[in-house]
């Protein structure tokens, strides 16, 4: 009799796991062409952010990370998406991650996103103060890059991707 009283609860758990809130739980079918990979020239704020992250890593005795144009292009595709949709999100992260794993041989990929900060120091300090973002900044990675774009109102959006090769 006790088993039958638990069945509705177990069914509910199965149903909820099938309809998770995460949009990236399954392959969303977006390929590299749909990611609009383009090569962009580094902006001053982007270079400053990369430098500040490497300075932070060095201060902890961690290795510095090398920038990589393909990682920047993938980051740009997401920043452009956030600007176009006026949201800050990790939507389609697994598409970006899978692309970098398939095409660059990345073993591990993570990203930080942000919006609204007007200086490199502001966004990097916010990431350092946030536990999950700080874990990415200080993680076991070899390369990284960033894209920073302004929306029509002049608000900055950022995507910072880290990979381990």
């Amino acid at each position: 009799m006790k088993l039958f009283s638990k069945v509705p609860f177990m069914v509910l758990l199965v149903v909820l796991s099938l309809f998770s809130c995460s949009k990236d739980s399954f392959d969303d079918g977006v390929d590299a062409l749909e990611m609009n990979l383009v090569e962009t020239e580094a902006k001053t704020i982007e270079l400053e952010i990369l430098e500040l992250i490497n300075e932070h890593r060095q201060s902890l005795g961690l290795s510095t990370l090398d920038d990589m144009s393909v990682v920047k292009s993938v980051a740009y595709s997401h920043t452009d998406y956030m600007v176009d949709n006026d949201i800050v999100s990790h939507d389609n992260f697994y598409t970006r991650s899978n692309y970098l794993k398939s095409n660059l041989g990345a073993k591990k990929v993570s990203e930080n996103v942000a919006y609204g900060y007007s200086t490199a120091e502001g966004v990097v300090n916010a990431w350092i103060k946030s536990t999950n973002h700080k874990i990415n900044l200080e993680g076991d990675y070899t390369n990284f890059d960033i894209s920073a774009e302004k929306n029509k109102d002049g608000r900055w959006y950022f995507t910072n991707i880290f990979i381990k090769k």
Side-chain angles (χ1 to χ4, degrees), residues 15-47:
V15 170
L16 289 175
S17 69
L18 291 174
F19 298 101
S20 168
C21 294
S22 172
K23 295 178 183 176
D24 295 323
S25 296
F26 303 99
D27 183 12
D28 56 15
V30 177
D31 64 21
L33 295 175
E34 292 173 324
M35 287 179 29
N36 297 319
L37 296 185
V38 296
E39 198 164 326
T40 61
E41 192 170 321
K43 297 174 186 67
T44 301
I45 194 168
E46 294 168 336
L47 295 172

Side-chain angles (χ1 to χ4, degrees), residues 73-106:
S73 294
V74 173
Y76 174 80
S77 73
H78 185 60
T79 305
D80 192 46
Y81 167 84
M82 292 192 301
V83 168
D84 287 348
N85 292 284
D86 197 28
I87 60 170
V88 63
S89 76
H90 293 284
D91 290 353
N92 306 309
F93 170 74
Y94 290 104
T95 299
R96 292 185 293 286
S97 177
N98 289 337
Y99 178 83
L100 293 167
K101 288 175 180 175
S102 297
N103 293 283
L104 289 181

Side-chain angles (χ1 to χ4, degrees), residues 49-75:
I49 290 169
L50 297 177
E51 185 177 327
L52 288 168
I53 290 170
N54 271 336
E55 286 174 3
H56 174 74
R57 290 178 61 86
Q58 280 184 310
S59 75
L60 300 172
L62 300 171
S63 62
T64 58
L65 305 176
D66 295 323
D67 60 340
M68 186 175 272
S69 62
V70 175
V71 174
K72 181 175 186 53
S73 294
V74 173

